[in-house]
């Protein structure tokens, strides 16, 4: 139980740190409601599951300095820059009321799923976090079954937390607050993503040099 609390606490603290996934979920919830943002949440959770599976399998290809790690860094920087520019260019006030807000169709949810998955899978920080955490667990002698249980718990927590964030952001009071300011929210999120892209690219440049 002590080990579980330490692992769960470290994972949740990392989850609380806002990043590109949080910005995408927030923006999607404001525009499409929490059901529309559910696709993004599922994509993010699945990408985390992929990294956890790789960590459990003992893959070390994403260690800092490895060619694949540098490639992921550059791909992630490019994707974050693309998302940032797209958000800034598409910024517009939210004209629909909460009651009239449309619910995303299957195609919209699939697109949201793809965006969420790409955002999380191209974030090397996720790979490093899970690789480090499960390396420590393996070194401490934790059984594989226990590590798998931790992994399932983490995926469930990621999905639950992201859905909670989406649900809170889509509440009527917040919709009224942010609805008329959505353009500025999108521009701010886009600028933040571009800055993150620059930081990731700088790290990738350091890995090459």
């Amino acid at each position: 139980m002590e080990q579980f609390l330490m692992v769960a606490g470290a994972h949740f603290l990392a989850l609380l740190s806002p990043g590109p996934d949080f910005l995408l979920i927030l923006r999607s919830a404001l525009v499409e409601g929490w059901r529309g943002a559910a696709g993004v949440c599922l994509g993010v959770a699945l990408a985390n599951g992929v990294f956890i599976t790789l960590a459990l399998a003992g893959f070390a290809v994403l260690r800092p300095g490895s060619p694949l790690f540098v490639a992921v860094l550059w791909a992630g920087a490019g994707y974050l820059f693309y998302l940032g520019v797209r958000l800034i260019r598409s910024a517009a006030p939210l004209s629909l009321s909460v009651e009239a807000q449309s619910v995303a169709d299957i195609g919209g949810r699939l697109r949201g799923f793809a965006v969420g998955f790409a955002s999380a899978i191209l974030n090397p920080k996720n790979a490093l976090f899970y690789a480090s955490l499960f390396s420590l667990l393996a070194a401490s002698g934790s059984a594989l079954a226990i590590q798998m249980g931790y992994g399932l718990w983490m995926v469930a927590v990621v999905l639950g937390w992201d859905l909670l964030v989406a649900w809170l952001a889509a509440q009527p009071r917040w919709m009224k607050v942010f609805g008329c300011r959505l353009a500025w929210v999108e521009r701010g999120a886009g600028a933040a993503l571009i800055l993150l892209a620059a930081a990731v690219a700088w790290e990738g440049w350091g890995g090459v040099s």
Side-chain angles (χ1 to χ4, degrees):
M1 180 57 68
E2 182 180 354
Q3 184 187 67
F4 171 76
L5 291 176
M6 291 178 61
V7 171
H11 178 249
F12 190 68
L13 287 175
L15 192 60
L16 289 177
S17 177
D21 301 338
F22 175 83
L23 294 174
L24 290 175
I25 292 169
L26 179 63
R27 188 262 180 188
S28 182
L30 289 174
V31 174
E32 301 175 352
W34 77 268
R35 290 183 179 86
V40 181
C41 299
L42 286 172
V44 171
L46 180 60
N48 278 260
V50 170
F51 283 131
I52 290 172
T53 301
L54 291 175
L56 285 171
F59 281 81
V61 291
L62 287 179
R63 287 179 177 170
S66 67
L68 182 56
F69 180 76
V70 174
V72 170
L73 277 176
W74 282 108
Y79 184 70
L80 290 175
F81 181 80
Y82 162 77
L83 286 178
V85 172
R86 184 176 177 182
L87 281 177
I88 292 175
R89 294 183 63 181
S90 65
L94 187 61
S95 59
L96 296 178
S97 65
V98 177
E99 293 78 9
Q101 190 178 17
S102 61
V103 178
D105 56 11
I106 298 298
R109 293 185 183 181
L110 288 176
R111 287 191 296 272
F113 173 84
V115 169
F117 182 84
S119 173
I121 204 69
L122 290 175
N123 187 349
K125 304 298 183 183
N126 292 335
L128 288 177
F129 174 79
Y130 289 118
S132 301
L133 183 59
F134 282 95
S135 294
L136 291 174
L137 289 174
S140 67
S142 298
L144 180 59
I146 294 178
Q147 295 185 49
M148 292 176 64
Y150 288 155
L152 291 174
W153 167 266
M154 291 176 188
V155 172
V157 169
V158 168
L159 179 59
W161 173 255
D162 288 346
L163 287 173
L164 177 62
V165 169
W167 180 78
L168 290 174
Q171 291 305 297
R173 60 175 298 185
W174 294 114
M175 292 291 297
K176 291 177 181 178
V177 171
F178 291 110
C180 60
R181 301 178 177 87
L182 182 63
W184 291 105
V185 172
E186 289 186 319
R187 292 189 185 103
L193 290 176
I194 290 174
L195 289 175
L196 283 172
V200 172
W202 179 262
E203 189 171 347
W205 180 265
V208 173
S209 59

